[in-house]
């Protein structure tokens, strides 16, 4: 793995994790059940973001940038 790929994948993973933490804080602030779902079933937390898009938009944009960095790094 060359250095550029490693940097892009690393920063992408950091952004995905930061977006998940932001989504966790947002979902706990909105509803306790969604907060627990986000904490214990992270893949299902994105369902919450579709139901509460106005509240979770920033976290999803951050996660989308992270996934974009990972995809660009792996191509």
């Amino acid at each position: 793995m060359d250095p550029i790929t490693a940097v892009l994948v690393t920063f992408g993973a950091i952004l995905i994790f930061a977006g998940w933490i932001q989504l966790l804080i947002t979902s706990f602030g909105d509803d306790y059940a969604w907060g627990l779902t986000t904490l214990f079933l992270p893949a299902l937390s994105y369902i919450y973001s579709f139901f509460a898009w106005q509240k979770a938009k920033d976290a999803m944009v951050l996660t989308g940038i992270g996934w974009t960095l990972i995809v660009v790094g792996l191509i």
Side-chain angles (χ1 to χ4, degrees):
M1 183 181 287
D2 60 353
I4 299 294
T5 300
V7 167
L8 287 173
V9 169
T10 301
F11 282 126
I14 290 170
L15 285 176
I16 289 171
F17 183 70
W20 179 74
I21 294 294
Q22 188 176 2
L23 187 61
L24 182 67
I25 292 168
T26 302
S27 63
F28 261 116
D30 188 32
D31 185 22
Y32 185 71
W34 275 117
L36 288 176
T37 302
T38 302
L39 182 63
F40 293 116
L41 301 168
L44 292 179
S45 66
Y46 297 114
I47 294 173
Y48 165 75
S49 66
F50 293 120
F51 287 126
W53 176 251
Q54 293 300 321
K55 297 177 185 175
K57 180 172 54 173
D58 294 335
M60 293 308 296
V61 167
L62 199 60
T63 303
I65 293 170
W67 277 113
T68 303
L69 285 177
I70 288 177
V71 168
V72 168
L74 293 177
I75 290 179

